[in-house]
Structure formats: C-alpha cells, structure tokens
Amino acid sequence: MQNERKNKVRLVIDTDLGCDSDDALALALACRLHGRGKTQLAAITCATARPAAPAAAAAIAAYYGVRPPIGRLTEKLACDELDYYNRQLADGTTVETEESVALMKRILDEGEAVIAAIGPLTAVARLLQERPQAENLRALYIMAGRFDADRAEWNVLQNVEAARYVFRYAPCPIVVSPFEVGAAIQCGATVTRGPVRQALELYATREGWKSADGAPTRCAWDPVTVLAAIAPEGFTFTPFGTVDVDETGVTRFRSGAGKHRILGCDPTAIRDCIDAIIATEQND
C-alpha cells in the first residue's frame, strides 16, 4: 500500500474547457480515476481566460465528489470567445481560484507532479520561463501537434510562441498525444447524465457531433492524453527524439537524441477503456 501511494501520479490538468467537449470528458476521466485511487488530481488549471471556465471545472469535479484547487489564467487569447458550455455548467456560481501558474508552482513546491496540458501552452510556457529548472515536474503530457500532415494543430496554433518555448526548453520528458491519435477515437456515449453529458449535448447542438446512434460523443484527444499520464501501460511510444515547432505552428519529430516521445494506441481498446471509466453509474 505504501509503495502504491508513492507511485501514484500527482496530476495537474491544464485545460481550455469550453471550446470543445473532450476537455469535459478528460476531467470526468481524471475524477473517476482519482476516486478509484489511481491518481491524485492535485489541481485543475485553466489554459484560457474564459470567465466561467473555473466554475465549470469545479462543477464537473464536484459532481464526481472531487474538489481540487482551481486555477484561472489572466492572459487573453483569441479563442477565449469560443465557449459552448461553461456558463451553463457554472450556472451563475463562483469559485475560489488561484492564478494558474501560481497554482502550478504551489503544487510542485509540495512534491513531484505530472502536468497534462490539453489546451494552449500559455501557462506551461510561463511556468518554465519563471522556473527554468521546473523542479519536481516529472513529465509533461501534451495534447499538441500532428505528424500525419504539414498542418498546425489547434492547441499549438492558439499560441505558437508558447508551444515553441515549451518544446525547446522544457527540462523534463515530454509525451506528445497528437491530433491523429485522438481523432481516431470517439467516446462519451456512456455518459448519460450530469455536467459532462450537458457539455457533450451543448457542443453537439452547435457543431452537430454525434455518434451513429445519435448519442453525443467527441473525439478523444484530451481523454487520451490524461489516460496516458495516469496509466501509460495501455499505450505505445516512439523512441526518444525531438519535436520541433516552426513559426507557423507545424510540428515535426526528429528521432535520436532528445526528451520527447509520441504516443500511439489501439483505438478500439482505448475507446472501450475510456468509456468504461467514465460510464454513468447508478449512484451518479
């Protein structure tokens, strides 16, 4: 038991909750695994300055019986205006918050942690700028980039300079969860009520994203990233190398010396795993 506690991942999720429903799915996944003792959800930090995002994140966590500290970002990005569901999930409530980077620092001051970055890398870049050695940061798991085409991926494109800084200067290992891996997986149909179902429905209403049987689902970019950070044994990884981000946001991987790896997986197995973990239970 003592060894299990020692090896449990202390996890910070840095999320751009609101512009897509896979962030909500990722929070549900982390909360479920926290409740099962598989991880410690040490904090949720917001990667954008959407006003209702902190309260929405707290509402999702509270639904699953988890109450981590919540971080708010002050830097504004153009994508902040894209908000499909945060206001509805927040329902007019407010929540006590800390500034996102200050919260990341506090969590790292308390011990080793992993950051799963599932939005633009603004906060992570500032953390590394202010703490270049990133003491106690075991690893970064980042949903970013694509390696199947010379096209910039969404999270990178929202703050290219931040992404370039993180991949160039992060002193810890980085595992990249790329666009094409999450795009091959749809999940969420097993969530039948609660705030995450509401997020799925609101996003599907605006974007028309549903499964063949009409259930609201979404590509699993962010849940894949969070699952890999907590339970990497279900994934494959390239040998170490280096991810380069050019000035337009296009990512390329160079094998050889470096601290970066690209993850892969069996889409069906990972979909089934995620859907089983987040499935609505009788006591939800």
Side-chain angles (χ1 to χ4, degrees), residues 114-186:
V114 169
I115 295 177
I118 56 176
L121 290 168
T122 306
V124 176
R126 182 152 60 85
L127 171 69
L128 297 177
Q129 289 163 359
E130 296 177 8
R131 286 197 177 178
Q133 300 307 312
E135 294 87 353
N136 283 333
L137 181 57
R138 279 176 48 186
L140 284 164
Y141 283 74
I142 301 178
M143 195 281 117
R146 58 185 304 173
F147 303 93
D148 62 340
D150 282 342
R151 295 176 58 188
E153 180 272 328
W154 167 267
N155 285 342
V156 173
L157 198 57
Q158 304 317 301
N159 193 336
V160 174
E161 288 307 309
R164 297 185 78 188
Y165 191 93
V166 169
F167 281 104
R168 185 176 300 171
Y169 295 114
C172 63
I174 295 178
V175 174
V176 180
S177 176
F179 171 88
E180 57 271 21
V181 171
I185 304 168
Q186 290 187 45

Side-chain angles (χ1 to χ4, degrees), residues 168-230:
R168 185 176 300 171
Y169 295 114
C172 63
I174 295 178
V175 174
V176 180
S177 176
F179 171 88
E180 57 271 21
V181 171
I185 304 168
Q186 290 187 45
C187 62
T190 57
V191 180
T192 59
R193 58 181 175 270
V196 175
R197 174 69 179 211
Q198 186 180 11
L200 286 165
E201 290 177 344
L202 288 166
Y203 184 83
T205 298
R206 294 286 296 272
E207 296 293 327
W209 192 272
K210 294 186 177 182
S211 66
D213 62 1
T217 59
R218 192 58 178 125
C219 292
W221 297 295
D222 295 346
V224 163
T225 309
V226 169
L227 182 61
I230 297 170

